[in-house]
Amino acid sequence: MSVDFEDCEACINITNDQELYFPDGNLVILTRDEAGNHTYFRVHQSILSKHSQALSDHMFPSSSPNSREIHDGVPLVEFQEDARDLNIFLKFLYEPFAAPLQRGDPDIAFKMFGALKLADKFLIEPLKDTILSYVREDWPQTLQGWDEREALYARRLKNSPKSIMDDVAPEPASVIRLARIFEPQLLIPAFYHLSRLPVNAVYGQPVQGSRSSRGVRTHLLSVEDREKAMVGRERMLRWFTDRLEAASLDTWQCSGGEACHVHIFWRVAVLHRSVIRSVDVLTTLRSMRSHKVERGTSQPVEDVVCPDCNARWDQLLADARRDFFDSLSTFFPNL
């Protein structure tokens, strides 16, 4: 039986995929979008089948009758997936060494989500592992790795004066969506990143015009995701406050008898204020090792602290950063 769409006015757009419609292909895959548009892929059963028996069985099920729908002279099978995702998926199978992945692309979790689901559906583990390996690079599990990635994004932004941070750094909602299904360990760093963003942060729209601000694809987040981020934010701030109180910084004593405690007092005040403003404990603790405080003005002021007290202060912040990172899982339980 042939398929004839010449009189089908409901089909708004009927096209062949520009890259994956081979004249000598022996199978046509049809996919439709919500608007009714049709996209056809003409492919080779042998190439697809060698990657996955599950995919071969889906295209040519043993229970199917001998009489199948025909399009352009070859059997037709329909997929429910989006045409763009199917295009990416098939490119992986046809050209594994020229796959549509670019090292350093910060948006892989969003762009490759559909292809990853197809790889999972048809049990193509090497393709799943390849895509996930790229995503993992942007969400390290160590503090050193986290700092290195943050420094990398800052360099990318500096070297791309026409870009905003969302162009060069990963976005958390797409990673959370992916991680819930395929890579749960990525949820903790992704939720930390989400928790430090303003509630009005929108992907691709810098807050107050700041190139360095980062956004989120809010439509990918559930109400529960937002609530978990808010709870995590509250727990982080409480942890930070408790940590400073436990350090007894208000009774700081200089071993050399200098008036270092006055300057330490100012540092603590600025540290509190900066964390409340940014809700980014890791970045704030790192930046406060510069030994400069604002003291309520717009201009940094170099304080005068002896070398011994500076070393103690730096060690205190370094220990706090390490312990804070190691405690991230306690801020976001039940993910």
Side-chain angles (χ1 to χ4, degrees):
M1 180 178 69
S2 63
V3 180
D4 185 0
F5 291 106
E6 289 183 0
D7 299 324
C8 182
E9 296 181 357
C11 300
I12 299 174
N13 190 22
I14 302 176
T15 60
N16 297 334
D17 187 90
Q18 295 181 358
E19 300 173 286
L20 295 165
Y21 197 91
F22 302 102
D24 62 341
N26 63 346
L27 176 72
V28 168
I29 299 175
L30 164 64
T31 184
R32 318 172 195 240
D33 64 18
E34 295 180 355
N37 299 313
H38 293 52
T39 302
Y40 292 97
F41 300 81
R42 186 164 181 166
V43 295
H44 304 85
Q45 180 194 1
S46 59
I47 292 179
L48 273 57
S49 297
K50 75 175 183 179
H51 291 283
S52 166
Q53 184 60 46
L55 179 56
S56 179
D57 293 343
H58 180 79
M59 295 184 297
F60 286 93
S62 58
S63 59
S64 65
N66 293 329
S67 178
R68 299 187 58 173
E69 290 189 347
I70 302 298
H71 180 84
D72 205 5
V74 297
L76 173 75
V77 62
E78 184 167 353
F79 279 39
Q80 302 302 313
E81 284 75 17
D82 179 80
R84 179 186 174 278
D85 295 333
L86 191 56
N87 173 282
I88 294 173
F89 173 71
L90 293 174
K91 282 181 179 178
F92 276 112
L93 304 187
Y94 267 89
E95 302 178 30
F97 297 106
L101 275 174
Q102 294 184 2
R103 186 71 62 181
D105 183 348
D107 214 20
I108 287 178
F110 180 76
K111 295 176 180 177
M112 297 295 159
F113 182 64
L116 182 59
K117 289 197 297 181
L118 279 162
D120 182 64
K121 177 179 179 179
F122 295 118
L123 308 177
I124 308 178
E125 292 301 317
L127 177 52
K128 282 180 58 179
D129 292 341
T130 296
I131 296 175
L132 290 173
S133 69
Y134 278 71
V135 177
R136 293 187 196 109
E137 290 183 357
D138 281 323
W139 302 95
Q141 304 295 305
T142 65
L143 178 58
Q144 179 179 348
W146 179 270
D147 287 343
E148 290 173 352
R149 298 308 290 185
E150 291 288 278
L152 173 63
Y153 307 143
R155 290 196 301 272
R156 287 177 179 173
L157 186 64
K158 181 179 180 181
N159 295 332
S160 304
K162 295 184 179 180
S163 298
I164 61 175
M165 187 61 87
D166 284 339
D167 297 327
V168 299
E171 179 272 330
S174 57
V175 176
I176 290 171
R177 178 181 64 171
L178 178 149
R180 288 203 184 282
I181 303 174
F182 302 109
E183 199 82 357
Q185 65 264 34
L186 301 184
L187 286 171
I188 292 175
F191 265 93
Y192 172 68
H193 177 35
L194 177 62
S195 71
R196 62 182 182 165
L197 298 181
V199 294
N200 63 337
V202 178
Y203 183 76
Q205 300 180 19
V207 177
Q208 296 180 347
S210 171
R211 290 178 61 232
S212 60
S213 66
R214 298 167 72 169
V216 58
R217 290 184 172 96
T218 54
H219 66 283
L220 298 182
L221 293 174
S222 66
V223 174
E224 291 76 15
D225 289 335
R226 283 293 193 184
E227 290 177 349
K228 290 179 185 296
M230 293 176 64
V231 170
R233 182 182 302 176
E234 179 182 337
R235 290 173 174 172
M236 288 189 296
L237 293 178
R238 186 179 297 118
W239 183 98
F240 174 75
T241 301
D242 291 345
R243 181 60 176 252
L244 287 187
E245 289 182 357
S248 302
L249 296 176
D250 55 339
T251 58
W252 185 280
Q253 296 293 324
C254 175
S255 59
E258 304 292 336
C260 295
H261 65 281
V262 176
H263 303 290
I264 296 298
F265 171 83
W266 279 110
R267 289 184 183 182
V268 173
V270 172
L271 187 57
H272 267 288
R273 184 170 63 214
S274 299
V275 167
I276 295 299
R277 283 177 176 174
S278 66
V279 200
D280 189 350
V281 176
L282 288 174
T283 299
T284 303
L285 286 173
R286 185 181 66 239
S287 66
M288 282 300 297
R289 298 183 66 189
S290 65
H291 315 311
K292 292 185 178 181
V293 296
E294 296 178 8
R295 299 191 182 178
T297 71
S298 59
Q299 297 297 324
V301 178
E302 186 77 34
D303 56 8
V304 182
V305 175
C306 74
D308 179 65
C309 286
N310 267 336
R312 288 166 53 196
W313 172 262
D314 284 352
Q315 189 61 53
L316 184 149
L317 296 192
D319 292 345
R321 291 189 82 239
R322 182 199 63 234
D323 294 344
F324 178 84
F325 189 90
D326 292 343
S327 300
L328 284 179
S329 61
T330 66
F331 306 140
F332 304 100
N334 306 318
L335 292 180

